[in-house]
């Protein structure tokens, strides 16, 4: 029986802020206790990160602030240029090309047609001078949909699906609550039916009751649309509720990876043990 081909295959992804040098990798990481190179002063945000993501899977990435988890997803969404590594995305040319090496135009195509991103900061994910419908339209137009009637119909459908009142489609998100802004971001991320959605600290800054509703919405959409997701969070409660597998990062490196239940019930790495014990 042939093994399922991953939707996303990442190999030795590295992102360094600064000039970089031959000692960057060896002088940083969990053993060194820092992600700042002592030789050239560069910040090794993530290094040698490798993993696969499969269809319909939700992979969690957990770690403290500065662990490299947000940089990793921003590299995948082409917000931040990777310094090295390879990424193969089956939804683009059957996963036969390294998407990190593509032209800017090809990367824009992947970003607008095949991926969605929900940012921690709504200023990154939404244009607050556009209406809720206008934000969704921005994503649709970028992917080549220009018919106004089709755009408004799709925007209304997505807002309804993400539990935003359609009557507020022409309102500015700056006047929405935090939970509503997050829902509009999710609607925008889903605009072109991408097979992959990236979520960065999706519940940060929300009240507990609002967090629960947003998480229920994400689970429902993932189940209905069979989406693959990468969920970045420092909150192990979010990771437990949403994800199938979990990857633990510290100072830019993966220190442990496995089934979420296994990671949370029987952590092997001392850092993971510390994270888990902190919520008990």
């Amino acid at each position: 029986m042939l093994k399922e081909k991953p939707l996303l295959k990442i190999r030795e992804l590295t992102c360094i802020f600064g000039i970089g040098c031959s000692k960057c990798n060896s002088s940083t990481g969990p053993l060194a206790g820092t992600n700042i190179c002592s030789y050239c002063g560069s910040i090794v945000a993530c290094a040698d990160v490798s993993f696969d993501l499969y269809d319909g899977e939700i992979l969690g990435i957990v770690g403290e602030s500065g662990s490299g988890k947000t940089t990793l997803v921003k590299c995948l969404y082409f917000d931040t240029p990777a310094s090295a590594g390879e990424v193969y995305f089956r939804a683009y040319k059957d996963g036969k090309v390294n998407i990190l090496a593509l032209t800017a135009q090809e990367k824009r195509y992947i970003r607008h047609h095949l991926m969605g991103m929900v940012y921690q900061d709504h200023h990154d994910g939404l244009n607050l001078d556009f209406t809720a419908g206008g934000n969704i339209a921005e994503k649709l137009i970028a992917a080549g949909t220009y018919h106004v009637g089709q755009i408004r119909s799709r925007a209304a459908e997505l807002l309804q699906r993400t539990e935003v009142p359609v009557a507020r489609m022409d309102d500015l998100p700056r006047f929405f609550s935090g939970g509503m802004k997050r829902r509009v971001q999710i609607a925008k991320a889903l605009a072109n039916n991408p097979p992959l959605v990236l979520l960065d600290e999706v519940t940060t800054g929300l009240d507990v009751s609002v967090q629960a509703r947003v998480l229920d919405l994400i689970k429902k959409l993932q189940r209905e649309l069979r989406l693959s997701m990468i969920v970045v969070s420092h909150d192990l409660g979010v990771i437990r509720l949403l994800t199938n597998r979990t990857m633990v990062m510290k100072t830019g490196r993966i220190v442990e990876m496995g089934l979420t239940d296994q990671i949370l019930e029987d952590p092997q790495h001392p850092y993971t043990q510390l994270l888990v014990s902190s919520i008990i």
Side-chain angles (χ1 to χ4, degrees):
M1 186 175 178
L2 291 174
K3 189 178 180 183
E4 179 191 358
K5 187 176 179 181
L7 176 68
L8 196 67
K9 184 166 78 171
I10 295 163
R11 296 294 179 267
E12 298 183 351
L13 180 63
T14 298
C15 181
I16 298 173
F17 297 113
I19 58 172
C21 72
S22 60
K23 302 284 184 66
C24 276
N25 277 18
S26 60
S27 67
T28 60
L31 291 177
T34 182
N35 61 358
I36 301 174
C37 177
S38 56
Y39 295 91
C40 69
S42 296
I43 298 172
V44 182
C46 57
D48 299 328
V49 172
S50 299
F51 64 91
D52 294 336
L53 180 74
Y54 291 89
D55 288 317
E57 182 180 33
I58 307 181
L59 175 71
I61 306 178
V62 68
E64 63 195 352
S65 179
S67 62
K69 55 192 190 297
T70 292
T71 298
L72 174 59
V73 293
K74 286 191 171 183
C75 285
L76 295 177
Y77 199 58
F78 309 121
D79 280 334
T80 300
S83 306
E86 298 177 343
V87 176
Y88 300 94
F89 188 23
R90 201 183 71 234
Y92 185 77
K93 297 189 175 179
D94 200 33
K96 293 176 180 175
V97 297
N98 173 18
I99 64 172
L100 297 181
L102 296 176
T103 65
Q105 183 179 6
E106 289 170 314
K107 288 177 180 177
R108 277 196 300 274
Y109 175 86
I110 292 172
R111 186 181 161 106
H112 294 317
H113 289 81
L114 303 175
M115 290 186 187
M117 176 79 165
V118 179
Y119 293 88
Q120 175 180 353
D121 189 338
H122 56 258
H123 289 91
D124 293 327
L126 296 173
N127 186 328
L128 299 184
D129 294 321
F130 287 6
T131 64
N135 272 278
I136 296 169
E138 186 180 32
K139 186 86 170 176
L140 291 167
I141 290 167
T145 301
Y146 302 110
H147 188 281
V148 174
Q150 290 178 357
I151 289 172
R152 286 190 66 83
S153 175
R154 178 64 173 156
E157 176 194 342
L158 287 161
L159 291 174
Q160 188 172 35
R161 190 155 210 167
T162 53
E163 300 171 7
V164 177
V166 177
R168 301 203 65 182
M169 182 163 70
D170 296 319
D171 292 351
L172 296 175
R174 68 171 67 252
F175 301 118
F176 289 5
S177 67
M180 287 271 279
K181 287 189 183 86
R182 206 59 53 89
R183 289 188 183 94
V184 174
Q185 270 209 75
I186 294 169
K188 183 176 181 179
L190 297 176
N192 294 305
N193 294 312
L196 175 63
V197 177
L198 311 170
L199 302 106
D200 184 19
E201 300 285 7
V202 73
T203 59
T204 298
L206 303 180
D207 293 338
V208 174
S209 61
V210 178
Q211 285 185 26
R213 290 200 296 274
V214 169
L215 291 174
D216 284 344
L217 173 64
I218 291 167
K219 285 179 70 177
K220 179 184 172 188
L221 291 170
Q222 189 275 336
R223 206 166 42 241
E224 290 175 353
L225 303 175
R226 290 294 296 160
L227 297 166
S228 297
M229 293 181 169
I230 296 178
V231 177
V232 167
S233 184
H234 67 279
D235 186 337
L236 292 180
V238 171
I239 294 296
R240 184 188 293 275
L241 186 67
L242 286 184
T243 68
N244 311 112
R245 281 192 303 138
T246 296
M247 192 165 85
V248 183
M249 292 187 70
K250 179 173 173 57
T251 52
R253 308 320 198 268
I254 300 172
V255 296
E256 189 165 354
M257 181 159 39
L259 296 174
T260 299
D261 288 346
Q262 196 175 27
I263 292 284
L264 297 181
E265 299 298 332
D266 186 25
Q268 299 299 305
H269 193 277
Y271 175 66
T272 312
Q273 292 169 356
L274 186 65
L275 281 181
V276 172
S277 67
S278 70
I279 63 165
I280 295 174

